[in-house]
C-alpha cells in the first residue's frame, strides 16, 4: 500500500514539473491559452480594462450593482492580468511601481461595529521587485472567477486584498495603462472532488512561472 501511494505521489510531481516546463516555453498569452486548453480549461472573453467604462453602479448602502454582462457568474478557474507597456501612453514599469507604492502607503478611516474609528491600510496586493515585464497579476476562484474579478475591478477599500482598479486613489493614473484580464474556466466534466485542488495547483504553477508584478503566494 505504501509503495502504491509513493508511486501516485511521484506521478503528481512529474505532472507539475511537466506543466511548469510547458509554461517555461510559452512566449505569450496565445501559447499560454493553448497550454491551459490542454489542461482542461476553456478560454472565455477577455476584459480590456477601461477607467471610463461603467462596470457597476454604486448604491447608497455601498454595495455595487454590476451592469457589465461580462461579470455574470462564470464558473471556477484561473485568470491572468496582462499589462502592455507599448500601449500605456509612455508609462513604464517604474512609473507603475511609484503609483503602487504610494497607494500602499495610504491609510483610510474605518468605523467598526462599535462605532470606533480606526486608521487602516488599503488591502492591495504587494509589488514584487523581481517580476515579469508583461504579467500584472495571477489569480483563481474555485467556483466563480467573476466573483473575485468584481473585487479586482471594484473600488471597495475595505474589502479583501484585490487590485481595485476603479478605486478613487488611482483613478487619475490607472487609465494610462493598457491592462487586459484573460479568463479561463475549468471544464464541467472535470471530477467535482478534485476541482478546487486542481485549480489551486494550476494557479500556483502559473504564479511561479509567470512571476506577476503584483501578488504573493
Amino acid at each position: 500500500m505504501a509503495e502504491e501511494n509513493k508511486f501516485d505521489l511521484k506521478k503528481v510531481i512529474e505532472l507539475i514539473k511537466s506543466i511548469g516546463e510547458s509554461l517555461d516555453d510559452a512566449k505569450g498569452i496565445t501559447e499560454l491559452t493553448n497550454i491551459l486548453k490542454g489542461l482542461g480549461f476553456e478560454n472565455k472573453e477577455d476584459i480590456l480594462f477601461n477607467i471610463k467604462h461603467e462596470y457597476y453602479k454604486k448604491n447608497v448602502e455601498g454595495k455595487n450593482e454590476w451592469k457589465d454582462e461580462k461579470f455574470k457568474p462564470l464558473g471556477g478557474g484561473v485568470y491572468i492580468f496582462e499589462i502592455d507597456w507599448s500601449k500605456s501612453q509612455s508609462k513604464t514599469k517604474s512609473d507603475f511601481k511609484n503609483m503602487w507604492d504610494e497607494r500602499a502607503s495610504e491609510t483610510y478611516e474605518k468605523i467598526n461595529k462599535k462605532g470606533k474609528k480606526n486608521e487602516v491600510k488599503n488591502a492591495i496586493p504587494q509589488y514584487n521587485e523581481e517580476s515579469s515585464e508583461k504579467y500584472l497579476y495571477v489569480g483563481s476562484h474555485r467556483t466563480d472567477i467573476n466573483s473575485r474579478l468584481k473585487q479586482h475591478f471594484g473600488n471597495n477599500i475595505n474589502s479583501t486584498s484585490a487590485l481595485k482598479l476603479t478605486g478613487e486613489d488611482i483613478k487619475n493614473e490607472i487609465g494610462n495603462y493598457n491592462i487586459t484580464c484573460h479568463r479561463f474556466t475549468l471544464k464541467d466534466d472535470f471530477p467535482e472532488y478534485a476541482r478546487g485542488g486542481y485549480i489551486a495547483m494550476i494557479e500556483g504553477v502559473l504564479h511561479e512561472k509567470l512571476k506577476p508584478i503584483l501578488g504573493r503566494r
Side-chain angles (χ1 to χ4, degrees):
M1 188 67 175
E3 194 65 32
E4 181 181 343
N5 290 339
K6 184 178 180 181
F7 176 74
D8 289 343
L9 178 59
K10 184 178 179 180
K11 289 179 68 175
V12 172
I13 293 173
E14 288 176 351
L15 171 62
I16 295 173
K17 286 183 177 180
S18 177
I19 294 172
E21 289 169 359
S22 297
L23 292 172
D24 284 336
D25 296 332
K27 299 297 189 292
I29 197 66
T30 300
E31 291 184 26
L32 276 174
T33 299
N34 290 332
I35 292 170
L36 288 170
K37 182 179 180 180
L39 294 171
F41 290 85
E42 296 178 318
N43 184 25
K44 300 300 181 179
E45 183 180 1
D46 293 341
I47 303 177
L48 177 63
F49 175 69
N50 184 347
I51 192 62
K52 297 180 180 179
H53 183 65
E54 189 176 13
Y55 294 103
Y56 54 84
K57 179 179 180 182
K58 190 80 171 179
N59 291 334
V60 177
E61 65 272 20
K63 189 174 182 179
N64 295 333
E65 178 186 337
W66 289 81
K67 301 174 65 176
D68 195 314
E69 294 291 313
K70 294 187 184 75
F71 289 92
K72 285 187 174 182
L74 192 61
V78 296
Y79 53 87
I80 301 169
F81 279 88
E82 184 179 22
I83 188 164
D84 187 342
W85 305 106
S86 68
K87 300 178 182 178
S88 293
Q89 301 187 31
S90 300
K91 292 292 183 178
T92 65
K93 189 176 178 182
S94 179
D95 293 326
F96 186 91
K97 181 182 184 303
N98 291 336
M99 176 191 72
W100 207 260
D101 285 348
E102 182 177 349
R103 188 184 199 196
S105 67
E106 295 175 344
T107 58
Y108 301 86
E109 189 177 86
K110 183 178 181 180
I111 302 176
N112 62 25
K113 293 180 179 180
K114 295 182 179 180
K116 184 179 179 180
K117 296 180 180 179
N118 296 309
E119 288 291 319
V120 298
K121 284 190 174 183
N122 193 1
I124 56 174
Q126 297 183 53
Y127 185 93
N128 297 319
E129 296 294 341
E130 297 183 7
S131 56
S132 163
E133 290 295 324
K134 65 172 68 173
Y135 299 112
L136 183 64
Y137 189 85
V138 171
S140 70
H141 196 278
R142 187 176 66 84
T143 57
D144 177 21
I145 55 175
N146 274 351
S147 65
R148 183 70 174 120
L149 290 177
K150 286 178 180 179
Q151 296 174 328
H152 290 307
F153 280 81
N155 66 349
N156 188 349
I157 63 172
N158 295 323
S159 68
T160 304
S161 179
L163 300 178
K164 302 170 188 176
L165 294 174
T166 52
E168 292 293 322
D169 55 340
I170 58 168
K171 69 176 184 179
N172 295 323
E173 286 289 330
I174 196 65
N176 294 319
Y177 297 90
N178 185 278
I179 298 172
T180 303
C181 178
H182 305 282
R183 303 179 296 171
F184 307 90
T185 57
L186 188 58
K187 291 182 178 179
D188 293 337
D189 59 0
F190 197 92
E192 183 64 33
Y193 64 85
R195 291 181 70 86
Y198 185 70
I199 289 171
M201 181 191 75
I202 296 300
E203 179 199 358
V205 178
L206 285 171
H207 196 281
E208 178 67 25
K209 296 300 181 178
L210 302 187
K211 300 188 184 307
I213 296 170
L214 301 175
R216 297 188 185 279
R217 290 295 301 164

